[in-house]
Amino acid sequence: MDASHDTLRATFWKPALSTGKGPRYLRLASFIEQSVADGRLRPGDRLPAQRELASWLGIDFTTVTRAYNRARDRHAIEGRGPLGTFVSTPRIAIDQVLDLGMNIPPAPIGLFLGEMLQKGIDEVLRHTDASMLMAYQLGEGGMADRQAGALWLAPMLGTLAPSDVLVCPGAQATLAALLLAATARDDTVLCEPIVYPGLRGAAHSLGRRLAGVATDDHGMLPDALREAARGHGARLVYLNPTLQNPTARTMPERRRRELLDVAEALDLTFIEDDPYWRLAPGAPAPLARLAPHRVHYVATLSKCLTPGLRTAYLRLADARHRDVFLNTLHSFALMAPPLMTGLATQWIHNGMADRILEGVKEAAAQRQAIAAEILGDAASAPAHGIHRWHTLPAAWTARELTVAARAEGLAVTPADAFCLLPDGPNAIRISLGGVRDPERLGSALMRLRALLHEAPPSLRAAVV
């Protein structure tokens, strides 16, 4: 098919409604986008007039109009007045990478971010002196902010006093400050061998060592923790026990209690990084609820509401550590952003945060179902959260697959980004929230599935 402006032949459009799912206008819009992505439609090609295409496909004119509007909103096509409708230039979003690598929550179903932000910030400005939002604000957060933190943490930890909660500028800064405050240079911090990359980065930058503790399907093994703590002389342990990043595994309550028994016997302290607890229906009680005096508990809003809220709440294992922690945190992250903190506080107090959370949970469940159907786990128990851990076929290595996916316009994260040792599992983490809408996510996952069914480039090159 050349790039002239002649009307495209009807035969090209006949398969437009025969693939995909959902309303016909979405299937037609997806067909247009996919045809642009794979080169069957090229920049400058003129699309049929809407009535003409409706006649070819035997559908209503309004269905074609909705499909064209959808494709136009995604910058796949553009209208040129009386000249007609044309495929857009190569700067369209289809040519950009579809992000299955960044672990962020999807947009909440039934809510519109722009409207929420406008209303929320208007309320913040009505109830707060604007000059204070632009001033330095040291300490653990204002009273209203700490009250909001106590409300947010109540489902996980039970009733808290505002004085129990510190308001921090995101989980990453909080983790770094905890490492600095609770350990010395060259000290060893124990963790699972497959662990959140942010902890690896912080430990490396701060001169702390990480040592992996053996796990099974339920998480860290108590006997292995006991042995590692004695062998390394370690006193600090990092855990992400609920919807663990990247494996999405949730540690059962019995294992949590067994690990706390070891901590009690050896005088260990846990950092419990718990960003996903409220996305996991029926999750066991956090370690910090079972043994508050043994656990520094960190919960960020960025992974369950929206990443722009750089707000995390911390409950320390011992209030006597408060000043040391805050002085350490303020040495490199002076304060949580006042405007975003004010917005988080406003949303928690007026119930909007819970509405966003429910919308995110609904969107995450929808995306997990799409991934299960496309990647072949539809018969397994429903998955929760915003990411999946996918074991690769033997022909592929995680690194090869990541490079090949990038060439196909897909970003995924290989296992070695999370593994302390080089002989980790042959798997990738697939994040489900970064792609803008479910239809695009489905298209991205289908492209990934097709790639997984192919031979790696190294094997293809060997065929003669």
Side-chain angles (χ1 to χ4, degrees), residues 21 24 26 55 151 208 285 330 334 346 352 368 382 407 422:
K21 294 185 177 181
R24 288 183 291 184
L26 288 180
S55 175
L151 287 173
R208 273 61 175 172
H330 295 156
L334 193 60
Q346 184 71 40
M352 178 57 74
Q368 288 283 1

Side-chain angles (χ1 to χ4, degrees), residues 173-185:
T174 307
L175 293 175
L178 284 170
L179 292 181
L180 277 171
T183 62
R185 189 172 188 84

Side-chain angles (χ1 to χ4, degrees), residues 8-240:
L8 299 171
R9 298 180 59 81
T11 52
F12 173 81
W13 294 91
K14 290 299 183 185
L17 304 180
S18 62
T19 59
K21 294 185 177 181
R24 288 183 291 184
Y25 83 93
L26 288 180
R27 282 185 271 167
L28 178 54
S30 295
F31 177 81
I32 294 170
E33 293 179 34
Q34 189 57 48
S35 297
V36 174
D38 62 24
R40 288 177 294 158
L41 288 174
R42 295 188 292 179
D45 281 345
R46 182 158 65 94
L47 274 64
Q50 295 178 34
R51 293 190 185 279
E52 185 176 29
L53 183 55
S55 175
W56 290 348
L57 297 178
I59 59 178
D60 294 337
F61 167 75
T62 55
T63 299
V64 178
T65 300
R66 292 182 71 188
Y68 276 26
N69 287 341
R70 181 86 169 191
R72 188 179 297 112
D73 288 344
R74 299 181 185 183
H75 310 292
I77 61 176
E78 59 189 16
R80 298 181 187 172
L83 294 177
T85 302
F86 295 80
V87 175
S88 299
T89 56
R91 55 185 171 81
I92 57 174
I94 277 176
D95 290 334
Q96 298 174 359
V97 171
L98 293 171
D99 189 2
L100 302 173
M102 181 65 72
N103 216 29
I104 61 175
I109 288 178
L111 298 171
F112 299 96
L113 183 60
E115 181 181 331
M116 290 189 301
L117 284 172
Q118 183 174 6
K119 289 183 177 179
I121 290 174
D122 284 348
E123 288 187 43
V124 171
L125 292 174
R126 279 200 302 271
H127 296 115
T128 308
D129 183 346
S131 63
M132 292 299 296
L133 295 173
M134 295 293 105
Y136 289 119
Q137 297 182 13
L138 301 180
E140 65 272 32
M143 177 57 71
D145 303 324
R146 285 180 284 132
Q147 287 174 336
L151 287 173
W152 185 256
L153 295 180
M156 296 86 106
L157 303 184
T159 302
L160 297 175
S163 58
D164 293 331
V165 179
L166 304 182
V167 182
C168 303
Q172 185 64 32
T174 307
L175 293 175
L178 284 170
L179 292 181
L180 277 171
T183 62
R185 189 172 188 84
D186 293 327
D187 277 359
T188 295
V189 178
L190 303 178
C191 61
E192 295 185 346
I194 301 174
V195 71
Y196 168 53
L199 180 73
R200 295 178 64 190
H204 176 77
S205 297
L206 300 174
R208 273 61 175 172
R209 305 175 189 274
L210 296 181
V213 179
T215 62
D216 63 9
D217 290 342
H218 292 160
M220 184 179 286
L221 290 163
D223 288 343
L225 174 60
R226 184 179 295 106
E227 181 180 351
R230 289 170 173 164
H232 292 282
R235 289 291 174 264
L236 189 65
V237 185
Y238 170 91
L239 282 178
N240 169 204

Side-chain angles (χ1 to χ4, degrees), residues 346-369:
Q346 184 71 40
W347 279 351
I348 291 171
H349 281 297
N350 69 15
M352 178 57 74
D354 285 329
R355 290 181 58 198
I356 297 171
L357 176 67
E358 291 306 310
V360 168
K361 288 165 67 174
E362 185 178 353
Q366 179 187 65
R367 288 166 180 247
Q368 288 283 1

Side-chain angles (χ1 to χ4, degrees), residues 302-318:
S302 297
K303 299 298 187 183
C304 56
L305 296 184
T306 181
L309 290 176
R310 306 307 302 158
T311 303
Y313 300 116
L314 171 67
R315 185 194 181 281
L316 291 168
D318 188 331

